[in-house]
Amino acid sequence: MSDDTAQLIEEVNTENQSSVSYNDETVIWEGRPSQWVNIGSFLWWGAFLVVSTVLLVFWQSGLNEGYSQVITEAVYWAFCGLVGLSIFSLVYAYLSVRYEHTVITRNKIKEAKGITSIFRQELFCEISDIKDIHSPPAGLLGLIGLSTLVIETNDDDQPIIKIRAIKNRNQLIEMLLPIWRKLKIERKGYFGDR
């Protein structure tokens, strides 16, 4: 464990505090997923883009001879549409992950998703509403040191919070567990209604 992580865990440690204030919004962790979660989309749409572009070039360089003008134009615009769709899909996949952001404070988990302010969605969940924390196997992302954290909650808006493709998942769990336990006891008790 690095010195910075140990210092952050020491700052977050709730054992020395009598209670956690409802308005204490000290950030204990924030981050966004790695673009590695898009590797499948990038490979699929990248291959689609290359094949569409090559076919378009072949079509324009003489493969279209012998066909009527209507068919030539239709095939040309179909290939152009496929190239445009590929580029749009690549950019959308990149931006959707780029604008996914999670902030964990001493009281809340805030998830923000959406590319523009029109489609941006911000969801808040109280840490005391957490039911369980799961650490699923990292799979292929584990080869590059990334993993996912899944948090089950009692919140109707966010029953499942997935913090995808992050580094140091275990340090995040170590920071989150003491706060969660303290808030669970203070605000609901272990044998609460949920």
Side-chain angles (χ1 to χ4, degrees), residues 33-125:
S34 168
Q35 286 293 335
W36 281 100
V37 297
N38 278 332
I39 192 70
S41 295
F42 288 163
L43 290 175
W44 170 258
W45 289 110
F48 211 75
L49 176 64
V50 169
V51 169
S52 300
T53 304
V54 168
L55 289 175
L56 180 62
V57 169
F58 282 149
W59 184 256
Q60 288 296 98
S61 65
L63 199 60
N64 61 356
E65 292 178 11
Y67 293 99
S68 69
Q69 182 67 22
V70 172
I71 292 176
T72 301
E73 288 293 317
V75 171
Y76 170 78
W77 285 109
F79 284 138
C80 287
L82 292 176
V83 168
L85 176 66
S86 302
I87 292 171
F88 175 79
S89 297
L90 286 168
V91 170
Y92 179 77
Y94 172 80
L95 290 176
S96 66
V97 170
R98 173 77 175 93
Y99 287 104
E100 183 177 329
H101 188 76
T102 305
V103 177
I104 300 176
T105 68
R106 287 183 169 275
N107 281 300
K108 292 183 183 78
I109 300 173
K110 174 188 169 189
E111 275 190 309
K113 296 178 181 179
I115 295 175
T116 65
S117 60
I118 297 171
F119 300 110
R120 193 149 188 80
Q121 182 180 27
E122 292 183 351
L123 299 172
F124 297 88
C125 177

Side-chain angles (χ1 to χ4, degrees), residues 163-174:
I163 303 174
R164 306 180 302 156
I166 58 170
K167 291 187 178 205
N168 303 322
R169 172 181 67 185
N170 293 336
Q171 280 84 14
L172 174 57
I173 293 171
E174 288 175 16

